[in-house]
Amino acid sequence: MAKARWHLYCAFNQPRVLVHEMIEVRFHGRGGQGAKLASRILGQSGFFSALFAQDFALFGAERRGAPVVSFTRLSAEPIDQRGNIELPNLVVVMDDSLLKEASGQVFQGVNAATPVIVNAKVEAFAPGLKDLPAANYRCIDMSRLAQEVLLGRGFVSAIAAAAAAKCVPAIQAEHLKKAVRMEIVEFGLTPDLVNKNLEAACRAYELAPAIDLTAMESDAGIVESSGQAVPYLGSAQFAGPTIRHRGSAALRATGNWRTERPVIELAKCKRCFLCYLYCPEAAMRLDTENFPHVDYDHCKGCMICYEECPTDAISKRLEV
């Protein structure tokens, strides 16, 4: 069941900045990366730039690590349009694995001229470029920034928002900083993490490509989305989330949803079976001697096994 929270900002008594057409930005991330917060930061940055802004997120039935989509609209005029963004001016992909796992979502409404900013290293991303639909791809290693500045946390919302803000000429660095601080504080993080997110956003703003979204023209050749067993954004053809194949849970590898992975030290294991019983994804397997082993193809990294293990035989490690 999709739900959305709307934030409509009207900037009164401020000088208007000319934006000829409405700018529509779509963020694609995984639960826990901060896609929703990224769209809020971008919307708040637009508000501080004297623009009208609208931001909201689409949540499926899944949990942390599942594909999440969030949206931001910016305009110099009041925004009357509602609903999902189907023809984005900019797409920000906060996890590059979504390019294949959720390609129907990521590439909906994208054409060869659409800027797609991907969280990836250029040298690692380039070899697979030939297998992706045509788009104006740009890479920023958001994960590296998060590891360096946020001490390994996979929370890249401020970084992704900064990359998008660089593409909106009306948004200056001071507008972004003010928005990051306001939204991160409201999110409830400690002052130290607020400052770290601010630093990460500033660095991302400097590294991001300066793509003027107001100067871009729309193009034909929209990418058609492919059939797959993932939630699909609503459109005239598909009214809502759609899964087109029966019995596909075992076939769909969800291991790349993890931000952390459980690691079992068998020497400490007493074979109590609690990890096996508590695993909500049936991603724990028992061998012939009843020792547990993690099915990393389907483990989503909920870490319930880590919490429940009475002998501390299970540790957690950050996914890299």
Side-chain angles (χ1 to χ4, degrees):
M1 184 71 181
K3 66 177 181 179
R5 180 181 177 185
W6 297 85
H7 301 277
L8 303 178
Y9 306 108
C10 299
F12 296 106
N13 301 319
Q14 298 186 53
R16 289 289 176 205
V17 179
L18 182 61
V19 176
H20 294 289
E21 297 181 357
M22 182 167 58
I23 293 174
E24 297 183 297
V25 181
R26 203 165 66 208
F27 293 90
H28 293 271
R30 294 189 179 279
Q33 287 184 314
K36 175 185 176 182
L37 186 56
S39 67
R40 289 184 58 142
I41 291 172
L42 181 61
Q44 192 67 264
S45 300
F47 168 68
F48 291 136
S49 307
L51 299 176
F52 289 90
Q54 177 192 97
D55 66 80
F56 58 103
L58 171 65
F59 298 93
E62 292 287 359
R63 48 166 291 285
R64 178 178 293 273
V68 175
V69 189
S70 198
F71 313 88
T72 304
R73 290 187 173 99
L74 300 169
S75 177
E77 303 298 330
I79 300 173
D80 297 324
Q81 189 171 337
R82 298 292 184 271
N84 301 334
I85 292 175
E86 296 186 7
L87 298 174
N89 302 104
L90 172 67
V91 173
V92 180
V93 182
M94 299 164 68
D95 188 312
D96 62 340
S97 65
L98 294 171
L99 294 171
K100 293 184 178 179
E101 180 183 336
S103 59
Q105 289 185 346
V106 174
F107 294 109
Q108 183 191 19
V110 170
N111 59 55
T114 305
V116 178
I117 298 177
V118 183
N119 175 13
K121 298 178 181 178
V122 176
E123 58 272 19
F125 181 75
L129 192 59
K130 63 182 183 300
D131 299 323
L132 296 174
N136 181 10
Y137 294 101
R138 306 295 180 93
C139 292
I140 299 178
D141 196 347
M142 302 180 194
S143 296
R144 181 184 60 81
L145 271 177
Q147 289 175 359
E148 291 178 356
V149 183
L150 303 178
L151 305 179
R153 292 176 173 82
F155 197 61
V156 295
S157 53
I159 297 170
K166 185 70 172 289
C167 300
V168 183
I171 299 178
Q172 301 301 312
E174 60 268 22
H175 303 140
L176 173 68
K177 293 177 185 177
K178 189 175 180 181
V180 169
R181 184 173 296 279
M182 175 177 288
E183 293 295 337
I184 295 293
V185 167
E186 184 177 322
F187 196 72
L189 298 184
T190 64
D192 180 57
L193 282 178
V194 171
N195 291 330
K196 282 182 167 59
N197 274 275
L198 191 59
E199 179 185 348
C202 291
R203 289 179 58 178
Y205 189 83
E206 294 175 359
L207 292 172
I211 305 170
D212 186 354
L213 297 179
T214 62
M216 299 188 65
E217 296 181 359
S218 59
D219 189 11
I222 301 299
V223 173
E224 294 292 337
S225 37
S226 58
Q228 56 182 327
V230 296
Y232 187 86
L233 296 180
S235 68
Q237 184 179 5
F238 300 101
T242 303
I243 294 183
R244 308 179 193 175
H245 307 289
R246 291 179 294 179
S248 61
L251 300 177
R252 184 183 177 198
T254 52
N256 56 5
W257 292 25
R258 290 190 305 271
T259 56
E260 295 175 319
R261 68 163 51 201
V263 177
I264 303 175
E265 187 177 346
L266 295 182
K268 293 183 178 180
C269 178
K270 302 301 182 183
R271 291 178 283 190
C272 67
F273 305 147
L274 287 180
C275 58
Y276 177 80
L277 294 172
Y278 275 104
C279 180
E281 303 297 335
M284 198 67 71
R285 302 282 187 263
L286 300 179
D287 63 18
T288 56
E289 297 181 355
N290 287 326
F291 280 106
H293 299 271
V294 181
D295 174 8
Y296 289 115
D297 286 339
H298 296 92
C299 169
K300 297 178 181 177
C302 68
M303 304 310 298
I304 292 176
C305 57
Y306 166 80
E307 297 292 343
E308 296 297 334
C309 181
T311 63
D312 295 327
I314 301 178
S315 59
K316 59 181 178 181
R317 298 180 187 175
L318 187 69
E319 282 288 349
V320 293

